[in-house]
Structure formats: C-alpha cells, structure tokens
C-alpha cells in the first residue's frame, strides 16, 4: 500500500502529468485512506513543486485533523498552488484560526485565489462535510472520466446548491432543455 | 446576466451552473444571489465526468477549470451542443432545438392524419370489394409495429 502510494506520487515529480492522471491518483490515494497520510505529509514538505501541490490537494480531500500543523506550515510554501490547496484543506477541517501575523502575510499573498479563499476561510463555520466528499471520491468510477459526448446521453448527476437543495439532471428530462455550465467559480 | 437568464427562461430552458468548489465557497462568492442554481461539485467528480478538470492554474487567472465548458442538453437528455467559451451562440442553439421540436410535432401530427386517412380508405375498400385487405398485403395499413413510430427513426 505504501509503495503504491509513493509510486502514485512519483508521477508528479517531473511536473503536472495532466488532469486525468491527477484525478485517478487522487481517487486511489483517498481510497488508500489513513495509510497514505504520512507519505502525503512527507511529500507535502519534501517533494518537487508539483508533488507538493498534488499532496496538498489530496490532503484537502482526506481532511484528517492530524494533518493540520503540516498544512499550516505549507501556507508558507513558495508555490502558490501548494498554498491554495493548503488553505482549502484547512478550511475543510472547520473554520480557519490564524494568528494576526499569519493573516497579515496571507492577505498580501500574490495569488488572488488564496486571498479569496482566505476571506471565506475565516467566516463562521457552516459545517464542511469532508466525509461526504471522501465518499464521493472513493466511489467514483474512473471509467466515467471525460464520458460526456456530443450527440450522446448526458451523464446524469445529483448535486446540491449552497442552500442544500439537490438538483438531478434527469429531473428535467421530457420537461426542459438544460444549459449546463461548468465554471471555475472565480466570480 | 439576469437579463440573459430571462431569455433562457423564455425559451423554456433551465440554466444550471456547476462549480468544482465547496458549498461554503459558493455561498461566499461575490455578487450574492443569482437567479439560477449554482451547484457545488466539491469532489469535482461531475466535472471530471464532463471532461472539465479542476486544477489551480497558478500561472493564469482562470482558476480551477482546465477548460470552461457549457453543454446544451435537450429534453430527451442528449447533449446537443458544447461551447468551450462564452455563451454567445446558446440562444441560437435553443431556438434551433425549439424549431426542431415543433417540426417533429408537426410531422407526428401529419403522420397520424395520414394513418387515419389510410385506415378509412382501406375500410371503404373492404366494404366495396368484400375482401379484407390484410396488413401483409398492404404495407400502408397501420399495424402495431408502425403506429406511433418516431418520424425519422424507421
């Protein structure tokens, strides 16, 4: 298991291997569960830039409270991608508590996404649900990646809005045309 | 945007936005309430299924998606259009789908009228000749395998 986790992470040592490799690696490492956590924390601090970024991304999905100190340390990582995933991971553990100094440093961060995340990360807790997200990732059928094709049936899904109201694509079948937009969420 | 959404609603289309983010991130987005559902895809699995990846683009400013994408899905649940940038042509696509629907509706109605007329003619022929025209002998006679078929599917 540990060997497999290390091999999965090694795919990132020479840079970003592309989103499909990333997604598959993410699902596998989340499935590996707590056994992979020490390896991820190690890679988070000692890995190549893109390995550190990916490790932070996986730790954001794992959302293990024991990784909090390691993630706080990574808020000072020279790579913006690592910092963004680290703050995301910390937010998943609940409301982000920072010292004044930490906060001042992050407010001046060069990456807009980190500044935006910082704004919402310190808001009163509205119950992050990492368990549900982990379950979704662990159960994700990797053969469904990139399955949407023009002229074919749209893959069904069920997702909730910020207010918790669930929408299923198939609920509109026979009733309405759906315009489905995927958006990066940067406003 | 509000104006645009109204135009989509006028075409009887449902707008859905999916963001590969946590629900609390969406709740904190600038601009507050929008007049359409914004759905959270925190595990980015739906985005992955639709081939829209999620990565921090630290070099640029386009955030998490590796490509923005908008899909138009018709009432039968089929993907009819994929846009990889702004939504400029979407209203045209919706208009075309609407026209297609009304055309299919008209064809179906016409088919039904023709079948009724054929049935009446055959019944009249049966009466006049005293010989029943069987479906095998007459391919135009409505049979269980032909009635209600989708135009263009046979």
């Amino acid at each position: 298991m540990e060997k497999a986790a290390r091999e999965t992470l090694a795919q990132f040592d020479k840079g970003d291997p592309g989103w499909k490799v990333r997604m598959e690696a993410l699902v596998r490492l989340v499935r590996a569960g707590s056994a992979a956590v020490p390896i991820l924390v190690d890679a988070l601090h000692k890995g190549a830039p893109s390995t550190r970024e990916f490790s932070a991304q996986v730790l954001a999905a794992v959302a293990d409270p024991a990784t909090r100190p390691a993630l706080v340390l990574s808020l000072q990582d020279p790579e913006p991608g690592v910092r963004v995933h680290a703050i995301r991971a910390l937010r998943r553990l609940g409301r982000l508590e920072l010292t004044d100094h930490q906060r001042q440093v992050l407010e001046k961060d060069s990456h807009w996404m980190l500044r935006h995340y910082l704004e919402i990360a310190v808001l009163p807790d509205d119950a992050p649900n990492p368990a549900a997200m982990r379950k979704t990732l662990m159960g994700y059928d990797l053969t469904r990646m990139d399955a949407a094709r023009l002229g074919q049936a749209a893959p069904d899904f069920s997702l909730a809005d910020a207010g918790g109201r669930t929408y299923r694509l198939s609920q509109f079948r026979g009733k309405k045309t759906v315009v489905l937009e995927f958006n990066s969420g940067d406003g | 945007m509000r104006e645009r959404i109204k135009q989509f609603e006028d075409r009887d289309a449902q707008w859905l936005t999916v963001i590969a983010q946590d629900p609390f991130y969406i709740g904190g987005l600038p601009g507050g309430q929008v007049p359409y559902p914004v759905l959270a895809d925190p595990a980015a699995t739906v985005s992955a299924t639709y081939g829209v990846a999620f990565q921090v683009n630290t070099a640029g400013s386009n955030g998490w998606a590796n490509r923005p994408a908008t899909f138009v899905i018709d009432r039968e649940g089929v993907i009819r259009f994929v846009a990889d940038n702004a939504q400029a042509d979407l209203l045209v696509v919706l208009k075309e789908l609407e026209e297609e629907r009304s055309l299919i509706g008209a064809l179906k109605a016409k088919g039904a009228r023709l079948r009724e007329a054929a049935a009446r003619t055959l019944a009249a022929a049966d009466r006049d000749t005293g010989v029943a025209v069987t479906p095998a002998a007459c391919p135009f006679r409505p049979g269980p395998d032909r009635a209600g078929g989708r135009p263009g599917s046979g």
Side-chain angles (χ1 to χ4, degrees):
Chain A
M1 182 63 92
E2 286 180 16
K3 187 162 170 279
R6 276 184 219 284
E7 279 169 7
T8 303
L9 283 171
Q11 297 175 101
F12 293 81
D13 287 348
K14 288 184 182 134
D16 181 16
W19 74 270
K20 287 190 184 175
V21 174
R22 180 178 282 253
M23 186 70 186
E24 188 169 342
L26 176 65
V27 167
R28 292 199 191 292
L29 286 166
V30 172
R31 280 182 192 154
S34 57
V37 169
I39 297 157
L40 287 164
V41 168
D42 191 54
L44 177 68
H45 294 148
K46 295 179 193 153
S50 122
T51 313
R52 298 204 303 277
E53 181 178 317
F54 178 68
S55 302
Q57 184 180 356
V58 182
L59 287 171
V62 171
D64 178 348
T67 62
R68 190 192 296 266
L71 290 164
V72 169
L73 211 57
S74 285
L75 290 175
Q76 296 169 36
D77 194 288
E79 287 296 317
V82 180
R83 300 198 299 274
V84 169
H85 281 299
I87 200 166
R88 238 184 147 207
L90 286 164
R91 180 58 179 84
R92 289 243 173 89
L93 296 174
R95 191 161 78 92
L96 185 59
E97 306 282 358
L98 294 170
T99 65
D100 286 347
H101 177 69
Q102 282 172 328
R103 204 190 155 114
Q104 279 160 13
V105 171
L106 290 172
E107 275 168 355
K108 292 190 196 103
D109 197 278
S110 61
H111 202 269
W112 66 271
M113 198 180 252
L114 192 127
R115 296 194 303 273
H116 180 62
Y117 235 99
L118 180 66
E119 269 176 45
I120 56 165
V122 294
L123 291 175
D125 200 331
D126 45 4
N129 192 354
M133 199 197 61
R134 263 199 310 272
K135 192 161 166 258
T136 306
L137 270 176
M138 288 168 85
Y140 183 61
D141 175 5
L142 288 163
T143 63
R144 277 170 67 86
M145 257 197 297
D146 206 12
R149 288 286 174 274
L150 190 64
Q152 292 183 12
D156 198 16
F157 61 81
S158 174
L159 291 175
D161 65 12
R165 189 173 165 195
T166 299
Y167 291 80
R168 185 173 276 278
L169 179 65
S170 53
Q171 81 188 59
F172 301 104
R173 185 159 312 169
K175 298 188 185 95
K176 280 187 171 192
T177 305
V178 174
V179 180
L180 178 64
E181 179 206 36
F182 289 86
N183 184 309
S184 55
D186 49 8
Chain B
M1 194 62 196
R2 209 165 284 270
E3 189 65 22
R4 270 189 82 79
I5 295 302
K6 175 82 173 60
Q7 287 177 308
F8 286 104
E9 279 171 359
D10 289 347
R11 296 226 170 271
D12 212 16
Q14 174 68 48
W15 183 287
L16 296 176
T17 290
V18 174
I19 297 184
Q21 284 287 6
D22 297 287
F24 57 78
Y25 184 97
I26 289 172
L29 280 180
Q33 288 292 311
V34 286
Y36 52 88
V38 179
L39 309 177
D41 180 23
T45 46
V46 174
S47 302
T49 296
Y50 278 81
V52 185
F54 57 102
Q55 283 173 30
V56 181
N57 185 344
T58 47
S61 60
N62 65 345
W64 299 87
N66 73 335
R67 56 164 184 148
T70 304
F71 296 81
V72 176
I73 298 158
D74 71 16
R75 291 181 185 207
E76 275 71 49
V78 175
I79 300 173
R80 299 296 300 272
F81 187 79
V82 184
D84 60 0
N85 48 23
Q87 313 102 4
D89 295 322
L90 292 181
L91 283 170
V92 176
V93 174
L94 292 178
K95 189 162 171 275
E96 282 171 4
L97 286 177
E98 214 170 54
E99 282 166 7
E100 181 189 284
R101 253 200 332 273
S102 72
L103 197 63
I104 288 174
L107 281 170
K108 274 184 178 160
K110 191 171 181 182
R113 281 200 303 277
L114 285 171
R115 278 195 298 275
E116 277 167 29
R120 278 197 302 277
T121 308
L122 288 173
D126 289 352
R127 274 199 310 279
D128 293 350
T129 61
V131 180
V133 183
T134 63
C138 178
F140 303 110
R141 184 159 196 156
D145 55 335
R146 273 185 287 279
R150 231 181 105 175
S153 65

